[in-house]
Amino acid sequence: MITTHSDLEADTTIDLQILLRHPQSTDGYHVNRLIDRCKPLDTNSTYCNLLQCLHFADTCMLAEDQEDNSLLGFISAYRKPAEPNTLFVWQVAIDKRARGEGLARTLLTNLLASDACAGVTHLETTITADNAASWGLFESFARSQATDSGARHLLFDQQRHFNGDSSSEILFRITLG
C-alpha cells in the first residue's frame, strides 16, 4: 500500500503513490489524453480541457502518479452560475491502472473539501443509463455523504438533444449532509 498526498485532506491509503492537486493550464493536454483512454467518456477538444484546467482549476482535481508523473485521474466540475451552492460534476476519468482503488471517490471527497467548494450544499452530475461505474460512484457517495439518496430526472434526451447520436443523460442531484 502506498499513500496519496494532498494539501486538502489527511493522507488516504490506496494502491499507488498519488499526488492529488488542482490542475494547471499545462495539464490540459494530458487531461485530454486521459479522457480519451476512458471510454465511454466523450472526448472534448484539447482546448476545452486547457480551459477547464485554467478557468475552472479550483473546482477540478487531478491525481498524478508520483513515480512517473503520469495522470491517473481527473474530475472536472464547476459551481453553477445560477445556483452557486451546487457543484456540477462534468466528468470523472480514472486511468485503468488506478480503477477499483477508490481514487474517484478520493478525488471527489478532496474536491468538496477544498476552499473553492465552501458553501456547496448540492452535487449534480449527469450519467447515461448504462454507465455502471458512474452510478456506483455517485450512489455510494450519496449513501455515505448525503442527506438523501439522490433525485433523478432526464436532462438531455437521446433524440431531442443529441439527434440519436448519444445516449440520454440522467441528472443525479444529491443534497450534501
Side-chain angles (χ1 to χ4, degrees):
M1 295 288 182
I2 302 176
T3 305
T4 62
H5 302 280
S6 167
D7 58 354
L8 303 172
E9 185 178 273
D11 292 347
T12 305
T13 301
I14 61 175
D15 270 340
L16 299 165
Q17 188 173 2
I18 297 173
L19 173 66
L20 303 180
R21 65 177 175 83
H22 293 286
Q24 302 168 353
S25 64
T26 53
D27 293 313
Y29 176 81
H30 302 290
V31 165
N32 187 266
R33 300 289 50 119
L34 172 66
I35 293 169
D36 189 49
R37 294 191 308 268
C38 294
K39 304 300 180 203
L41 291 179
D42 289 334
T43 304
N44 300 298
S45 69
T46 301
Y47 186 76
C48 175
N49 296 129
L50 288 167
L51 290 175
Q52 286 175 317
C53 292
L54 178 65
H55 293 169
F56 299 101
D58 288 347
T59 55
C60 294
M61 182 74 55
L62 60 77
E64 186 175 72
D65 185 334
Q66 288 189 299
E67 203 166 292
D68 65 7
N69 295 325
S70 64
L71 191 57
L72 296 174
F74 181 71
I75 290 184
S76 59
Y78 59 89
R79 290 179 85 149
K80 292 174 65 174
E83 296 175 54
N85 65 329
T86 300
L87 182 72
F88 184 86
V89 176
W90 183 351
Q91 283 184 318
V92 178
I94 304 297
D95 185 86
K96 66 182 175 185
R97 293 184 298 152
R99 290 183 191 151
E101 301 294 335
L103 182 57
R105 187 183 185 108
T106 300
L107 281 166
L108 185 57
T109 300
N110 275 268
L111 177 57
L112 285 167
S114 70
D115 291 343
C117 291
V120 167
T121 59
H122 294 84
L123 183 141
E124 290 183 350
T125 192
T126 60
I127 308 171
T128 57
D130 62 347
N131 189 335
S134 287
W135 283 114
L137 169 64
F138 287 101
E139 287 173 336
S140 169
F141 188 81
R143 284 190 303 273
S144 68
Q145 303 286 325
T147 60
D148 62 24
S149 61
R152 304 166 192 223
H153 74 269
L154 180 65
L155 184 64
F156 297 122
D157 179 74
Q158 182 176 15
Q159 294 305 318
R160 199 171 75 178
H161 294 100
F162 295 115
N163 198 33
D165 290 339
S166 293
S167 298
S168 294
E169 294 277 349
I170 300 162
L171 181 75
F172 189 55
R173 181 176 172 88
I174 301 168
T175 303
L176 301 172

